[in-house]
């Protein structure tokens, strides 16, 4: 196996900085768009053969150092009874959002093996198809991010309904996040049992909170997921955006790798995170839309911030955008590998 990614997550020496991308499989690839002409997003996620095929598309096309199973962070909300749908142009919508303590109590119990086992089967199929070429990452949404979709009923910019619940009904908020944390832990353990080599928690919108609110209202629930996973001895990536003011809090909540978005210089972000963990990131994904000299300059700046220290995984600071040219992503992979190559 090409184990650069796993070695970097463990802060071990590597011959070159490993590189993979958030949303490395998706709408910017013609192969994915061809599948979407015949299948909805949820159909692909629920069909292990298709999910495994999409998982491998960037491995075959881009030569990245890790695969990530094709799924969606909101899949666990379906069996909870929230009524999940994806509508063209509008993204995810939830027919039965949670807005009160009574709504929290009406959520259904989830049998992870029965209700979400298709994700485990997608991992098994992808692992067979990968044949050991690169590690496979499993993932789930973080407690605040999943709760925000569940409460808002879809995407939001200001998180008004979410914050109204956490401020006005803190007991219901903690009951909801505790329930999501238990579900998420079981879900990720199922993915590891299916063969995932690492897992990532996408608490993408947690930067909407103040650091103090994060520490009191979210971190205990994140820790309930991350600490048991870390005891399994696998890399656990903890990722959020707009988190420059709470990076140490994210690290304290758990994770062996902390994801950085582009709103903080990688060197400063690593200093804020502290010793003892790896970091992942943190190229602005919009840089992939610019001319090659500027993309190379931005990528080189990230590598220079890392200074060749063990424990850096190169990635974008959030997902690849749908209009991104595939050639730019492939050229970036080659550039990172050549620029960071170290003598054996």
């Amino acid at each position: 196996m090409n184990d650069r990614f796993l070695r970097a997550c463990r802060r071990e020496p590597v011959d070159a900085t490993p590189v993979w991308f958030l949303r490395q499989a998706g709408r910017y690839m013609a192969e994915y768009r061809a599948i979407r002409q015949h299948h909805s997003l949820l159909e692909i996620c629920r069909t292990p053969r298709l999910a495994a095929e999409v998982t491998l598309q960037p491995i075959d096309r881009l030569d990245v150092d890790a695969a990530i199973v094709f799924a969606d962070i909101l899949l666990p909300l379906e069996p909870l009874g929230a009524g999940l749908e994806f509508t063209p142009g509008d993204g995810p919508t939830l027919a039965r959002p949670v807005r009160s303590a009574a709504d929290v109590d009406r959520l259904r119990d989830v049998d992870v093996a029965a209700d979400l086992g298709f994700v485990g089967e997608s991992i098994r199929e992808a692992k067979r198809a990968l044949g050991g070429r690169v590690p496979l990452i499993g993932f789930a949404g973080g407690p605040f991010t999943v709760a925000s979709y569940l409460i808002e009923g879809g995407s939001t910019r200001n998180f008004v309904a979410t914050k109204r619940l956490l401020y006005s009904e803190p007991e219901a908020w903690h009951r909801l996040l505790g329930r999501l944390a238990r579900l998420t832990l079981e879900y990720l353990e199922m993915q590891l049992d299916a063969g995932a080599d690492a897992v990532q928690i996408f608490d993408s919108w947690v930067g909407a909170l103040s650091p103090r609110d994060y520490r009191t209202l979210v971190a205990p629930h994140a820790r309930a997921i991350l600490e048991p996973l870390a005891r399994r001895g696998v890399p656990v990536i903890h990722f959020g955006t707009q988190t420059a003011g709470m990076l140490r809090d994210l690290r304290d909540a758990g994770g062996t790798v902390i994801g950085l978005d582009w709103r903080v210089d990688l060197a400063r972000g690593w200093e804020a995170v502290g010793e003892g963990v790896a970091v992942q990131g943190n190229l602005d994904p919009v840089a992939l839309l610019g001319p090659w000299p500027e993309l190379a300059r931005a990528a080189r700046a990230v590598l220079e911030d890392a200074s060749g220290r063990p424990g850096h995984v190169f990635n974008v600071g959030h997902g690849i955008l749908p209009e991104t040219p595939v050639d730019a992503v492939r050229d970036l992979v080659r550039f990172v590998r050549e620029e960071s190559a170290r003598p054996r």
Side-chain angles (χ1 to χ4, degrees):
M1 179 187 288
N2 165 5
D3 66 348
R4 285 191 196 100
F5 165 75
L6 296 176
R7 291 178 63 83
C9 289
R10 297 191 296 260
R11 294 178 291 116
E12 298 173 358
V14 290
D15 61 335
T17 299
V19 54
W20 71 280
F21 300 102
L22 307 180
R23 292 198 203 120
Q24 65 185 13
R27 288 175 291 173
Y28 77 104
M29 298 190 76
E31 300 95 317
Y32 175 76
R33 293 196 301 272
I35 291 177
R36 280 300 306 273
Q37 287 180 350
H38 305 286
H39 303 279
S40 70
L41 173 64
L42 286 177
E43 285 174 340
I44 298 172
C45 292
R46 293 178 185 135
T47 308
R49 173 184 59 82
L50 293 175
E53 181 180 345
V54 174
T55 298
L56 264 70
Q57 285 174 350
I59 308 305
D60 298 330
R61 189 83 180 272
L62 306 176
D63 193 30
V64 287
D65 292 304
I68 184 166
V69 65
F70 187 82
D72 190 272
I73 64 169
L74 300 185
L75 291 178
L77 297 186
E78 274 197 295
L80 279 172
L84 174 65
E85 292 184 2
F86 286 87
T87 55
D90 294 326
T93 58
L94 295 150
R96 292 174 290 280
V98 169
R99 298 286 169 78
S100 66
D103 291 338
V104 174
D105 293 338
R106 69 163 167 77
L107 292 172
R108 300 172 187 164
D109 292 329
V110 177
D111 182 329
V112 168
D115 297 327
L116 296 166
F118 55 85
V119 176
E121 186 55 38
S122 297
I123 288 172
R124 283 186 282 271
E125 291 216 15
K127 287 279 285 189
R128 285 192 290 268
L130 282 169
R133 282 184 284 168
V134 296
L136 179 64
I137 304 167
F139 71 90
F144 177 82
T145 298
V146 174
S148 73
Y149 280 104
L150 183 56
I151 296 166
E152 302 286 344
S155 301
T156 181
R157 291 185 177 182
N158 49 32
F159 301 89
V160 168
T162 304
K163 292 184 178 183
R164 182 181 291 126
L165 180 65
L166 68 86
Y167 290 136
S168 64
E169 298 194 61
E171 290 185 4
W173 170 261
H174 283 293
R175 197 157 69 250
L176 173 61
L177 260 67
R179 188 163 182 176
L180 292 176
R182 291 188 294 274
L183 170 57
T184 301
L185 175 59
E186 188 176 351
Y187 180 46
L188 288 172
E189 286 180 329
M190 180 266 287
Q191 294 184 43
L192 289 170
D193 291 341
D197 300 291
V199 291
Q200 173 157 320
I201 297 287
F202 285 85
D203 219 347
S204 305
W205 309 136
V206 76
L209 293 173
S210 70
R212 181 177 291 105
D213 284 343
Y214 175 77
R215 288 191 294 271
T216 59
L217 297 169
V218 176
H221 304 288
R223 194 172 294 115
I225 303 168
L226 293 158
E227 287 185 349
L229 292 173
R231 288 196 292 269
R232 294 187 60 142
V234 298
V236 180
I237 307 165
H238 192 183
F239 169 79
T241 65
Q242 301 189 61
T243 56
M246 59 175 69
L247 287 173
R248 187 68 190 203
D249 298 315
L250 288 181
R251 184 256 172 88
D252 290 344
T256 58
V257 184
I258 302 299
L260 306 175
D261 77 3
W262 68 94
R263 297 173 180 88
V264 60
D265 291 339
L266 186 134
R268 293 185 179 181
W270 207 338
E271 182 180 1
V273 168
E275 299 294 329
V277 293
V279 298
Q280 178 175 279
N282 64 339
L283 182 76
D284 186 338
V286 179
L288 284 157
L289 306 181
W292 171 251
E294 286 303 306
L295 174 56
R297 179 198 60 77
R300 185 178 289 112
V302 173
L303 292 172
E304 288 175 351
D305 269 1
S307 302
R309 288 174 286 176
H312 177 221
V313 176
F314 191 99
N315 209 313
V316 281
H318 206 183
I320 288 180
L321 298 169
E323 56 268 42
T324 302
V326 174
D327 287 348
V329 185
R330 187 175 59 243
D331 291 345
L332 178 59
V333 173
R334 185 181 306 114
F335 176 84
V336 169
R337 193 161 291 146
E338 292 175 352
E339 192 78 4
S340 66
R342 303 174 184 90
R344 292 180 180 274

